[in-house]
């Protein structure tokens, strides 16, 4: 009988550790790796060796159990060719199912124009999974489709002409991070 009580207490303890509700306001620190599907501009259209890495921070406020809204910023480095962007974006998380850990998200914003980064549209649609261990500590995993637009790219034609143009990259992304 003593074994059953110990097992029951361990089960209750495990449930309390892994079934925590998130607080009304959470901060997400996320790393994402993107696999480029297509990049297109006025000169080329390529599908080869496109990838990128991003570090993003966003704050989310839960309006109710279904919707959370927030804002974030970060850095996104895309390779082959190399671009750096600093996006500032608004974010919406929707939890349409009873399973509160699964959510769908949309991040929409614009990247800043600096000496080392290109301006342009920043959008990502995807699904995520949030596993909270405490009220202000958990892990987040996500998969998404991202669209990045970079403007004022210096493009050189084969005949030597140079022109400022924009390029658009479509990617799939996978990420993980911490929730505070």
């Amino acid at each position: 009988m003593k074994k059953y009580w110990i097992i029951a207490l361990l089960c209750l303890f495990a449930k309390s550790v892994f079934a925590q509700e998130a607080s009304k306001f959470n901060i997400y620190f996320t790393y994402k790796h993107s696999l480029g599907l297509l990049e297109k501009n006025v000169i080329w259209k390529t599908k080869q060796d496109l990838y990128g890495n991003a570090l993003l921070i966003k704050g989310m406020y839960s309006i109710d159990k279904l919707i959370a809204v927030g804002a974030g910023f970060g850095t996104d480095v895309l390779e082959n060719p190399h671009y750096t962007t600093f996006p500032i974006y608004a974010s919406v998380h929707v939890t349409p199912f009873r399973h509160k850990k699964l959510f769908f998200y949309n991040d929409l914003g614009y990247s800043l124009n600096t000496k080392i980064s290109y301006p342009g549209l920043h959008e990502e649609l995807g699904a995520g999974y949030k596993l909270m261990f405490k009220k202000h500590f958990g892990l987040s995993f996500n998969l998404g489709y991202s669209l990045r637009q970079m403007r004022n790219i210096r493009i050189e034609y084969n005949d030597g002409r140079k022109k400022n143009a924009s390029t658009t990259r479509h990617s799939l992304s996978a990420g993980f991070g911490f929730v505070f």
Side-chain angles (χ1 to χ4, degrees):
M1 187 69 169
K2 191 175 183 181
K3 282 195 279 185
Y4 294 117
W5 280 106
I6 292 173
I7 290 171
L9 287 173
L10 286 174
C11 288
L12 286 174
F13 175 73
K15 183 174 171 43
S16 69
V17 168
F18 291 108
Q20 292 288 326
E21 289 287 325
S23 69
K24 282 281 215 188
F25 181 76
N26 289 109
I27 296 176
Y28 290 72
F29 290 99
T30 306
Y31 164 78
K32 290 185 181 180
H33 181 77
S34 62
L35 175 64
L37 300 173
L38 172 70
E39 183 172 323
K40 183 178 178 183
N41 63 30
V42 294
I43 294 182
W44 72 80
K45 180 178 177 179
T46 184
K47 297 179 181 181
Q48 297 178 349
D49 298 326
L50 302 173
Y51 64 94
N53 296 297
L55 287 174
L56 304 167
I57 300 170
K58 68 180 166 183
M60 298 297 295
Y61 178 77
S62 295
I63 295 173
D64 57 22
K65 292 183 179 185
L66 188 64
I67 296 175
V69 295
F73 65 95
T75 182
D76 198 356
V77 178
L78 305 172
E79 297 294 341
N80 290 335
H82 177 80
Y83 307 110
T84 301
T85 64
F86 296 124
I88 295 177
Y89 56 93
S91 185
V92 176
H93 288 194
V94 178
T95 308
F97 307 115
R98 295 179 95 164
H99 192 60
K100 297 176 187 173
K101 296 177 183 179
L102 179 66
F103 61 91
F104 296 98
Y105 66 92
N106 184 13
D107 296 341
L108 178 63
Y110 197 79
S111 296
L112 299 175
N113 186 14
T114 68
K115 289 183 180 182
I116 60 171
S117 69
Y118 296 102
L121 178 68
H122 169 97
E123 182 171 19
E124 184 162 345
L125 297 167
Y129 187 82
K130 180 170 56 173
L131 182 62
M132 297 302 291
F133 298 111
K134 296 199 180 249
K135 192 171 185 174
H136 286 285
F137 180 73
L139 297 174
S140 174
F141 305 93
N142 53 53
L143 296 171
Y145 163 78
S146 64
L147 174 73
R148 304 285 188 269
Q149 183 184 57
M150 286 72 63
R151 296 177 182 248
N152 301 332
I153 307 280
R154 192 77 171 158
I155 294 179
E156 187 171 331
Y157 291 91
N158 291 337
D159 62 4
R161 292 181 297 139
K162 295 179 182 178
K163 178 182 177 182
N164 280 349
S166 47
T167 187
T168 304
R169 185 177 289 192
H170 304 267
S171 304
L172 294 178
S173 67
F176 69 93
F178 295 100
V179 182
F180 297 100

